Amino acid sequence: MIEASHLCRDFGSFRAVDDVSFSIKTGEIVGLLGPNGAGKTTTMRMITGFLAPTSGTVIVDGENIEGNATSVKRKIGYMPESAPLYGDMIVEDYLTYVAQMYGKDPAEKLSLYARLCGIGEVMDKNISDLSRGYRQRVGLAHALMNDPEILILDEPTGGLDPNQIGEVRSLIKEIGKTRTVIISTHILSEVEMLCDRVIIISNGKITADSPTEDLQTRFQQDKVIKLTAGGCSSFQELSGILAGIPGLISLKQDEEEPGNGLVSILLSVERGKEIRPEIFSRLASANRPIYEMTLRRNTLEDIFRTLTIGSENDA
C-alpha cells in the first residue's frame, strides 16, 4: 500500500508538484501519465525516497518514508528511464554485485531474472556494448533483484523491439498479480493494455485518477462513425442520403479518400444515440452498398489531450 498525501516539491520558485494525493493498493498496476515536465518523475522520486518533498508525506505499508527511508527502500524496486548501470562491467558481474548488495544468493537470483528478463544470451557481455533495449532489461533485472513489494518503472519499454515489448508487458502483468506496480510511460496503448488504473498529472496537479475503463466512460464524447459506401458520385450525394437522421450532429468528408468509386464520410452522433440501423436502411433503399461502417469511441489518447493541453497552455 502506498499513500501519498498533499505532496509538493519546489525547485527554487518553481513548484514542480503541487498538492498531489493518491492511494495505491497492493496488486494494482497503475499508469502514471502526463506531458513532459508535468511532475511525473519528480513524484516517483519522492515515492522512492530519492527526493524529499517540500511538504506532504509518503506512507508505504504504514511507514512514513521520512525517518524510515532505509526500511521503505527495501520494499521498492525502481527503474529510472535511463537505468544508471556500470557500463564497464560484464552483465553477470554487475547483477552478482547487485544481488550481494541486497544480501541475496546470486546463483539463485541471476538464473531466475536472466530468464524472466530475457538477458541470458548477454550475461557475458559488457554493459556498454549492449543495445538500449538490453540495457533496459538489465535495469529491470536490477529493480527486481531485491524481490520488492513495489515496483516503479519509468518508461520500461523504451528502446525495445515489438517482441521484447510483448515480453516485458507479460512480465509486468505477472509481477502485478502479487505486487504494486507503477508505470510511467508515453505509450498510451501500453497503459490501456496493462494498467487497472490511470493517474494523469498535468502542470504538477492530478487532473484524473480513475480505473482505466471508468475514465474512458466518464470522458466519452459524442461518437464518430466512419462510413464508406459505393455507388455515389460525390460526398454531397452521400450526405444527401443520410441528412436528417435523428441523432446525427454533422457530416464531414473523410480526409483519406478511398478511391475506386467509393466515398468515405465521418458522422458525428449524439451520445447515447444509435443510428447505424437507419444508415443501413437508407443506403439499402438507395441501392448504395456499404463497404465499411466503424464506430470510433474516445481513446485514452483523446482523454489525455483533453486533460492536459489546457493546463499546459495555462502554464
Side-chain angles (χ1 to χ4, degrees):
M1 169 74 81
I2 299 173
E3 295 181 53
S5 180
H6 303 290
L7 284 180
C8 296
R9 175 66 197 196
D10 298 334
F11 294 95
S13 60
F14 174 68
R15 175 151 288 187
V17 175
D18 188 4
D19 197 27
V20 165
S21 298
F22 55 81
S23 178
I24 300 175
K25 297 181 293 186
T26 300
E28 276 193 300
I29 302 180
V30 177
L32 187 62
L33 302 180
N36 291 331
K40 305 186 303 298
T41 297
T42 301
T43 299
M44 288 192 296
R45 286 176 177 170
M46 287 191 285
I47 294 172
T48 57
F50 281 84
L51 195 62
T54 301
S55 61
T57 58
V58 177
I59 308 294
V60 177
D61 286 342
E63 290 187 281
N64 191 327
I65 198 166
E66 185 178 356
N68 300 284
T70 301
S71 174
V72 170
K73 286 178 181 180
R74 289 195 181 104
K75 302 176 182 180
I76 297 174
Y78 176 43
M79 188 180 81
E81 181 177 0
S82 297
L85 309 175
Y86 296 142
D88 57 346
M89 292 185 72
I90 293 172
V91 173
E92 184 174 0
D93 293 343
Y94 174 75
L95 292 178
T96 297
Y97 162 71
V98 172
Q100 292 173 337
M101 182 175 62
Y102 284 132
K104 303 293 182 179
D105 179 6
E108 174 191 345
K109 295 300 178 184
L110 263 64
S111 59
L112 171 63
Y113 291 121
R115 176 177 55 82
L116 283 178
C117 298
I119 55 175
E121 62 189 55
V122 298
M123 293 293 282
D124 60 346
K125 297 184 181 296
N126 269 25
I127 291 174
S128 61
D129 294 333
L130 301 181
S131 68
R132 174 174 168 77
Y134 272 114
R135 289 199 297 271
Q136 288 290 94
R137 292 184 185 207
V138 174
L140 184 57
H142 179 165
L144 289 167
M145 197 63 70
N146 194 35
D147 297 322
E149 299 170 24
I150 298 162
L151 189 62
I152 299 178
L153 308 174
D154 196 351
E155 300 289 345
T157 59
L160 304 185
D161 66 37
N163 291 332
Q164 294 167 343
I165 288 173
E167 292 167 2
V168 171
R169 286 175 179 170
S170 297
L171 175 58
I172 292 170
K173 280 187 176 180
E174 187 63 30
I175 291 168
K177 293 178 180 178
T178 56
R179 314 179 202 207
T180 302
V181 181
I182 302 175
I183 303 170
S184 173
T185 179
H186 288 98
I187 306 173
L188 300 182
S189 60
E190 189 163 84
V191 173
E192 289 183 287
M193 284 187 278
L194 281 177
C195 299
D196 312 308
R197 178 175 156 206
V198 176
I199 298 174
I200 297 178
I201 297 179
S202 183
N203 198 24
K205 297 177 180 288
I206 290 180
T207 57
D209 181 356
S210 175
T212 309
E213 289 185 3
D214 291 355
L215 187 68
Q216 290 173 309
T217 300
R218 188 176 0 136
F219 287 92
Q220 183 65 56
Q221 297 175 349
D222 300 328
K223 297 179 292 186
V224 174
I225 293 173
K226 178 179 179 180
L227 173 69
T228 302
C232 295
S233 60
S234 65
F235 164 74
Q236 288 74 19
E237 181 184 350
L238 183 55
S239 298
I241 295 172
L242 301 173
I245 295 178
L248 177 60
I249 298 173
S250 64
L251 302 99
K252 177 183 176 183
Q253 188 165 9
D254 188 6
E255 294 178 357
E256 298 180 5
E257 188 60 49
N260 298 321
L262 305 179
V263 176
S264 284
I265 191 169
L266 301 176
L267 302 91
S268 295
V269 185
E270 291 179 17
R271 187 185 307 187
K273 296 290 186 179
E274 176 56 84
I275 70 169
R276 284 174 291 181
E278 180 64 19
I279 293 172
F280 180 84
S281 176
R282 290 197 181 195
L283 290 176
S285 297
N287 196 27
R288 302 295 192 267
I290 296 174
Y291 284 76
E292 177 185 3
M293 184 160 58
T294 55
L295 178 65
R296 180 184 181 275
R297 297 185 181 275
N298 241 12
T299 64
L300 190 57
E301 182 175 353
D302 297 326
I303 296 167
F304 179 84
R305 288 176 60 82
T306 298
L307 293 173
T308 60
I309 287 179
S311 55
E312 278 188 280
N313 292 338
D314 292 343

Coordinates of all heavy atoms in Angstrom, one line a residue, residues 30-38 40-41 44-45 77-83 132-140 143 151-161 164-165 168-169 172 181-191 194-195 304:
V30 N -0.7 0.6 -11.9 CA -1.2 2.0 -12.1 C -0.3 2.7 -13.1 O 0.9 2.6 -13.0 CB -1.2 2.7 -10.8 CG1 -1.6 4.2 -11.0 CG2 -2.1 2.1 -9.7
G31 N -1.0 3.3 -14.1 CA -0.2 4.1 -15.1 C -0.2 5.5 -14.6 O -1.2 6.1 -14.3
L32 N 1.0 6.1 -14.6 CA 1.2 7.5 -14.2 C 1.5 8.3 -15.5 O 2.6 8.1 -16.1 CB 2.3 7.6 -13.2 CG 2.6 9.0 -12.6 CD1 1.3 9.5 -11.8 CD2 3.8 9.0 -11.7
L33 N 0.6 9.1 -15.9 CA 0.7 9.8 -17.2 C 0.8 11.3 -17.1 O 0.3 11.8 -16.1 CB -0.5 9.5 -18.1 CG -0.9 8.0 -18.4 CD1 -2.1 7.9 -19.3 CD2 0.3 7.3 -19.1
G34 N 1.4 11.9 -18.1 CA 1.4 13.3 -18.1 C 2.4 13.8 -19.2 O 3.3 13.0 -19.6
P35 N 2.2 15.0 -19.7 CA 3.2 15.5 -20.7 C 4.6 15.7 -20.0 O 4.7 15.7 -18.8 CB 2.5 16.9 -21.1 CG 1.7 17.2 -19.9 CD 1.2 16.0 -19.3
N36 N 5.6 16.0 -20.9 CA 6.9 16.3 -20.4 C 6.9 17.5 -19.4 O 6.2 18.5 -19.8 CB 7.9 16.5 -21.5 CG 8.1 15.3 -22.3 OD1 8.1 14.2 -21.8 ND2 8.4 15.5 -23.6
G37 N 7.5 17.3 -18.3 CA 7.6 18.4 -17.3 C 6.3 18.6 -16.5 O 6.2 19.5 -15.7
A38 N 5.5 17.5 -16.5 CA 4.2 17.6 -15.7 C 4.5 17.3 -14.2 O 3.6 17.7 -13.4 CB 3.2 16.6 -16.3
K40 N 5.7 14.0 -13.2 CA 5.6 12.5 -13.0 C 6.9 12.0 -12.4 O 6.8 11.3 -11.4 CB 5.4 11.8 -14.4 CG 4.2 12.2 -15.2 CD 4.1 11.3 -16.4 CE 5.3 11.3 -17.3 NZ 5.6 12.6 -17.9
T41 N 8.1 12.3 -13.0 CA 9.3 11.7 -12.5 C 9.6 12.3 -11.1 O 10.1 11.5 -10.2 CB 10.5 12.1 -13.4 OG1 10.2 11.5 -14.7 CG2 11.8 11.6 -12.9
M44 N 7.5 10.3 -8.7 CA 8.1 8.9 -8.5 C 9.4 9.0 -7.6 O 9.6 8.1 -6.7 CB 8.4 8.3 -9.8 CG 7.2 7.8 -10.6 SD 7.5 6.8 -12.0 CE 8.5 7.9 -13.0
R45 N 10.2 10.0 -7.8 CA 11.4 10.1 -7.0 C 11.1 10.4 -5.5 O 11.8 9.9 -4.6 CB 12.3 11.2 -7.5 CG 13.0 10.8 -8.8 CD 13.8 11.9 -9.5 NE 14.5 11.4 -10.7 CZ 15.1 12.2 -11.5 NH1 15.2 13.5 -11.3 NH2 15.7 11.7 -12.6
G77 N 11.4 -1.5 -5.7 CA 12.3 -1.7 -6.9 C 12.1 -0.5 -7.8 O 10.9 -0.3 -8.2
Y78 N 13.1 0.2 -8.2 CA 12.9 1.4 -9.1 C 13.8 1.3 -10.3 O 15.0 1.1 -10.2 CB 13.3 2.6 -8.2 CG 13.2 3.9 -9.0 CD1 12.2 4.2 -9.9 CD2 14.2 4.9 -8.8 CE1 12.1 5.5 -10.6 CE2 14.2 6.1 -9.5 CZ 13.1 6.4 -10.3 OH 13.1 7.6 -11.0
M79 N 13.2 1.5 -11.5 CA 14.0 1.5 -12.7 C 13.8 2.9 -13.4 O 12.7 3.1 -13.9 CB 13.6 0.4 -13.7 CG 14.5 0.3 -14.9 SD 14.1 -1.0 -16.0 CE 12.8 -0.2 -17.0
P80 N 14.7 3.8 -13.3 CA 14.6 5.1 -14.0 C 14.5 4.9 -15.5 O 14.8 3.8 -16.0 CB 15.9 5.8 -13.6 CG 16.4 5.1 -12.4 CD 16.0 3.7 -12.6
E81 N 14.2 6.0 -16.2 CA 14.1 5.9 -17.6 C 15.4 5.5 -18.3 O 15.4 4.7 -19.2 CB 13.6 7.2 -18.2 CG 13.4 7.2 -19.7 CD 12.9 8.5 -20.2 OE1 12.7 9.5 -19.4 OE2 12.7 8.6 -21.5
S82 N 16.5 6.1 -17.8 CA 17.8 5.7 -18.3 C 18.5 5.0 -17.1 O 19.0 5.7 -16.2 CB 18.6 6.9 -18.7 OG 18.0 7.5 -19.9
A83 N 18.4 3.7 -17.1 CA 19.0 2.9 -16.0 C 20.4 3.2 -15.7 O 21.2 3.1 -16.6 CB 18.8 1.4 -16.2
R132 N 20.2 -0.4 -26.3 CA 19.3 0.3 -25.3 C 18.3 -0.7 -24.8 O 18.0 -0.7 -23.6 CB 18.6 1.5 -25.9 CG 17.6 2.1 -24.9 CD 17.1 3.4 -25.5 NE 15.9 3.9 -24.7 CZ 16.0 4.4 -23.5 NH1 17.1 4.7 -22.9 NH2 14.9 4.8 -22.9
G133 N 17.8 -1.5 -25.7 CA 16.8 -2.5 -25.2 C 17.3 -3.5 -24.2 O 16.6 -3.7 -23.2
Y134 N 18.5 -4.0 -24.4 CA 19.1 -4.9 -23.5 C 19.5 -4.2 -22.2 O 19.4 -4.8 -21.1 CB 20.3 -5.6 -24.1 CG 19.9 -6.9 -24.8 CD1 20.1 -7.0 -26.2 CD2 19.3 -8.0 -24.1 CE1 19.7 -8.1 -26.9 CE2 19.0 -9.1 -24.8 CZ 19.2 -9.2 -26.2 OH 18.8 -10.3 -26.9
R135 N 19.9 -3.0 -22.3 CA 20.2 -2.2 -21.0 C 19.0 -2.0 -20.2 O 19.0 -2.1 -19.0 CB 20.9 -0.9 -21.4 CG 22.3 -1.0 -21.9 CD 23.0 0.3 -21.8 NE 22.4 1.4 -22.6 CZ 22.7 1.6 -23.9 NH1 23.6 0.9 -24.5 NH2 22.1 2.6 -24.5
Q136 N 17.8 -1.8 -20.9 CA 16.6 -1.7 -20.2 C 16.2 -3.0 -19.4 O 15.8 -3.0 -18.3 CB 15.4 -1.4 -21.1 CG 15.4 0.1 -21.7 CD 15.1 1.1 -20.6 OE1 16.0 1.7 -20.0 NE2 13.8 1.3 -20.4
R137 N 16.5 -4.1 -20.1 CA 16.2 -5.4 -19.5 C 17.1 -5.6 -18.2 O 16.7 -6.1 -17.2 CB 16.5 -6.5 -20.5 CG 15.5 -6.5 -21.6 CD 15.8 -7.7 -22.5 NE 14.9 -7.8 -23.6 CZ 14.6 -9.0 -24.2 NH1 15.1 -10.1 -23.8 NH2 13.8 -8.9 -25.3
V138 N 18.4 -5.2 -18.4 CA 19.3 -5.4 -17.2 C 18.9 -4.5 -16.1 O 18.9 -4.9 -14.9 CB 20.8 -5.0 -17.7 CG1 21.7 -5.0 -16.4 CG2 21.3 -6.0 -18.7
G139 N 18.4 -3.3 -16.4 CA 17.9 -2.4 -15.4 C 16.6 -3.0 -14.7 O 16.5 -2.8 -13.5
L140 N 15.8 -3.7 -15.5 CA 14.6 -4.3 -14.9 C 15.0 -5.4 -14.0 O 14.5 -5.6 -12.8 CB 13.7 -4.8 -16.0 CG 12.4 -5.4 -15.5 CD1 11.6 -4.5 -14.7 CD2 11.6 -5.9 -16.8
A143 N 16.1 -3.9 -10.8 CA 15.0 -3.5 -9.9 C 14.3 -4.6 -9.2 O 13.7 -4.4 -8.2 CB 14.0 -2.7 -10.8
L151 N 7.1 -2.0 -7.4 CA 8.0 -1.9 -8.5 C 7.6 -0.6 -9.2 O 6.4 -0.4 -9.6 CB 7.9 -3.1 -9.4 CG 8.9 -3.1 -10.6 CD1 10.3 -3.2 -10.0 CD2 8.6 -4.3 -11.5
I152 N 8.5 0.3 -9.4 CA 8.2 1.6 -10.0 C 9.1 1.7 -11.3 O 10.3 1.6 -11.2 CB 8.5 2.8 -9.1 CG1 7.6 2.7 -7.8 CG2 8.3 4.1 -9.8 CD1 7.8 3.7 -6.8
L153 N 8.4 1.8 -12.4 CA 9.1 1.7 -13.7 C 8.9 3.0 -14.5 O 7.7 3.4 -14.8 CB 8.6 0.5 -14.5 CG 8.6 -0.8 -13.8 CD1 8.0 -1.9 -14.7 CD2 10.1 -1.2 -13.5
D154 N 10.0 3.6 -14.9 CA 9.9 4.9 -15.7 C 10.2 4.5 -17.2 O 11.4 4.2 -17.5 CB 10.9 5.9 -15.2 CG 10.5 7.3 -15.7 OD1 9.7 7.4 -16.6 OD2 11.2 8.3 -15.2
E155 N 9.2 4.5 -18.1 CA 9.4 4.2 -19.5 C 10.1 2.8 -19.6 O 11.1 2.7 -20.2 CB 10.2 5.2 -20.2 CG 9.6 6.6 -20.2 CD 8.4 6.7 -21.1 OE1 8.1 5.9 -21.9 OE2 7.6 7.7 -20.9
P156 N 9.4 1.7 -19.1 CA 10.1 0.4 -19.1 C 10.3 -0.2 -20.4 O 11.2 -1.1 -20.6 CB 9.2 -0.4 -18.2 CG 7.8 0.2 -18.4 CD 8.1 1.7 -18.5
T157 N 9.6 0.2 -21.5 CA 9.7 -0.5 -22.8 C 10.4 0.4 -23.8 O 10.4 0.1 -25.0 CB 8.4 -0.9 -23.3 OG1 7.5 0.2 -23.4 CG2 7.7 -2.0 -22.4
G158 N 11.0 1.5 -23.3 CA 11.7 2.4 -24.2 C 12.9 1.7 -24.9 O 13.7 1.1 -24.2
G159 N 12.9 1.8 -26.2 CA 14.0 1.3 -27.0 C 13.9 -0.2 -27.3 O 14.8 -0.8 -27.8
L160 N 12.8 -0.9 -26.9 CA 12.7 -2.3 -27.1 C 11.9 -2.5 -28.5 O 11.1 -1.7 -28.9 CB 11.8 -2.9 -26.0 CG 12.4 -2.8 -24.6 CD1 11.5 -3.6 -23.6 CD2 13.8 -3.2 -24.5
D161 N 12.3 -3.7 -29.1 CA 11.6 -4.0 -30.3 C 10.2 -4.6 -30.0 O 9.9 -4.9 -28.8 CB 12.4 -4.9 -31.2 CG 12.6 -6.3 -30.6 OD1 11.7 -6.9 -30.0 OD2 13.8 -6.8 -30.8
Q164 N 10.3 -7.8 -27.8 CA 10.7 -7.5 -26.5 C 9.7 -6.8 -25.7 O 9.5 -7.0 -24.5 CB 12.0 -6.7 -26.5 CG 13.2 -7.4 -27.1 CD 14.3 -6.5 -27.5 OE1 14.2 -5.3 -27.5 NE2 15.5 -7.0 -27.7
I165 N 9.0 -5.8 -26.3 CA 7.9 -5.1 -25.6 C 6.8 -6.1 -25.1 O 6.4 -6.0 -24.0 CB 7.3 -4.0 -26.6 CG1 8.2 -2.9 -26.8 CG2 5.9 -3.5 -26.0 CD1 7.8 -1.9 -27.8
V168 N 8.2 -7.9 -22.1 CA 8.2 -7.1 -20.9 C 6.8 -6.8 -20.3 O 6.6 -6.9 -19.1 CB 9.0 -5.8 -21.1 CG1 8.8 -4.8 -19.9 CG2 10.4 -6.0 -21.4
R169 N 5.8 -6.6 -21.2 CA 4.5 -6.4 -20.8 C 3.9 -7.6 -20.1 O 3.2 -7.5 -19.0 CB 3.6 -6.1 -22.0 CG 3.8 -4.7 -22.5 CD 3.0 -4.4 -23.8 NE 3.1 -3.1 -24.3 CZ 2.7 -2.7 -25.5 NH1 2.1 -3.5 -26.3 NH2 2.9 -1.4 -25.9
I172 N 5.4 -7.7 -16.6 CA 4.8 -6.7 -15.7 C 3.4 -7.2 -15.3 O 3.1 -7.0 -14.1 CB 4.7 -5.3 -16.4 CG1 6.1 -4.7 -16.7 CG2 3.8 -4.4 -15.6 CD1 6.1 -3.5 -17.6
V181 N 2.6 -2.1 -8.8 CA 3.4 -1.6 -9.9 C 2.9 -0.3 -10.4 O 1.7 -0.1 -10.6 CB 3.4 -2.6 -11.1 CG1 4.3 -2.1 -12.3 CG2 3.8 -4.0 -10.7
I182 N 3.9 0.7 -10.5 CA 3.6 2.0 -11.0 C 4.4 2.2 -12.3 O 5.6 2.0 -12.3 CB 3.9 3.1 -10.0 CG1 3.2 2.9 -8.7 CG2 3.6 4.5 -10.6 CD1 3.6 3.9 -7.6
I183 N 3.7 2.5 -13.4 CA 4.4 2.6 -14.7 C 4.2 4.0 -15.2 O 3.1 4.5 -15.3 CB 3.8 1.7 -15.7 CG1 3.9 0.2 -15.2 CG2 4.6 1.8 -17.0 CD1 3.2 -0.8 -16.1
S184 N 5.3 4.7 -15.5 CA 5.2 6.0 -16.2 C 5.6 5.7 -17.6 O 6.7 5.1 -17.9 CB 6.2 7.0 -15.6 OG 6.2 8.2 -16.4
T185 N 4.8 6.1 -18.6 CA 5.0 5.9 -20.0 C 4.3 6.9 -20.8 O 3.3 7.5 -20.4 CB 4.6 4.4 -20.4 OG1 4.8 4.2 -21.8 CG2 3.1 4.2 -20.1
H186 N 4.8 7.1 -22.1 CA 4.2 7.9 -23.1 C 3.4 7.1 -24.1 O 2.8 7.6 -24.9 CB 5.2 8.8 -23.8 CG 5.8 9.9 -23.0 ND1 7.0 9.8 -22.3 CD2 5.3 11.1 -22.6 CE1 7.2 10.9 -21.7 NE2 6.2 11.7 -21.8
I187 N 3.5 5.7 -23.9 CA 2.8 4.8 -24.9 C 1.4 4.6 -24.3 O 1.3 3.7 -23.4 CB 3.6 3.5 -25.1 CG1 5.0 3.9 -25.6 CG2 2.9 2.7 -26.1 CD1 5.9 2.6 -25.7
L188 N 0.4 5.3 -24.7 CA -0.9 5.2 -24.1 C -1.6 3.9 -24.4 O -2.3 3.4 -23.5 CB -1.8 6.4 -24.6 CG -1.2 7.8 -24.3 CD1 -2.2 8.9 -24.8 CD2 -0.9 8.0 -22.8
S189 N -1.3 3.3 -25.5 CA -1.8 1.9 -25.7 C -1.3 0.9 -24.7 O -2.0 0.0 -24.4 CB -1.5 1.5 -27.2 OG -0.1 1.4 -27.4
E190 N -0.1 1.1 -24.3 CA 0.5 0.3 -23.2 C -0.3 0.4 -21.9 O -0.5 -0.6 -21.3 CB 2.0 0.7 -23.0 CG 2.8 -0.2 -22.2 CD 4.3 0.0 -22.4 OE1 4.8 1.0 -21.7 OE2 4.9 -0.6 -23.2
V191 N -0.7 1.6 -21.6 CA -1.4 1.8 -20.4 C -2.8 1.1 -20.5 O -3.3 0.5 -19.5 CB -1.6 3.3 -20.1 CG1 -2.6 3.5 -18.9 CG2 -0.3 4.0 -19.8
L194 N -2.1 -2.6 -20.0 CA -1.5 -3.1 -18.8 C -2.2 -2.7 -17.5 O -2.2 -3.4 -16.5 CB -0.1 -2.7 -18.7 CG 1.0 -3.4 -19.5 CD1 2.3 -2.7 -19.4 CD2 1.1 -4.8 -19.1
C195 N -2.7 -1.4 -17.5 CA -3.0 -0.8 -16.2 C -4.5 -0.9 -15.8 O -5.4 -0.7 -16.6 CB -2.6 0.7 -16.2 SG -0.8 0.9 -16.5
F304 N -6.3 12.0 -22.7 CA -5.1 12.6 -22.3 C -4.9 14.0 -22.8 O -4.6 14.9 -22.1 CB -3.9 11.7 -22.8 CG -2.5 12.2 -22.4 CD1 -2.0 12.0 -21.2 CD2 -1.8 13.0 -23.3 CE1 -0.7 12.4 -20.8 CE2 -0.5 13.5 -23.0 CZ 0.0 13.2 -21.7

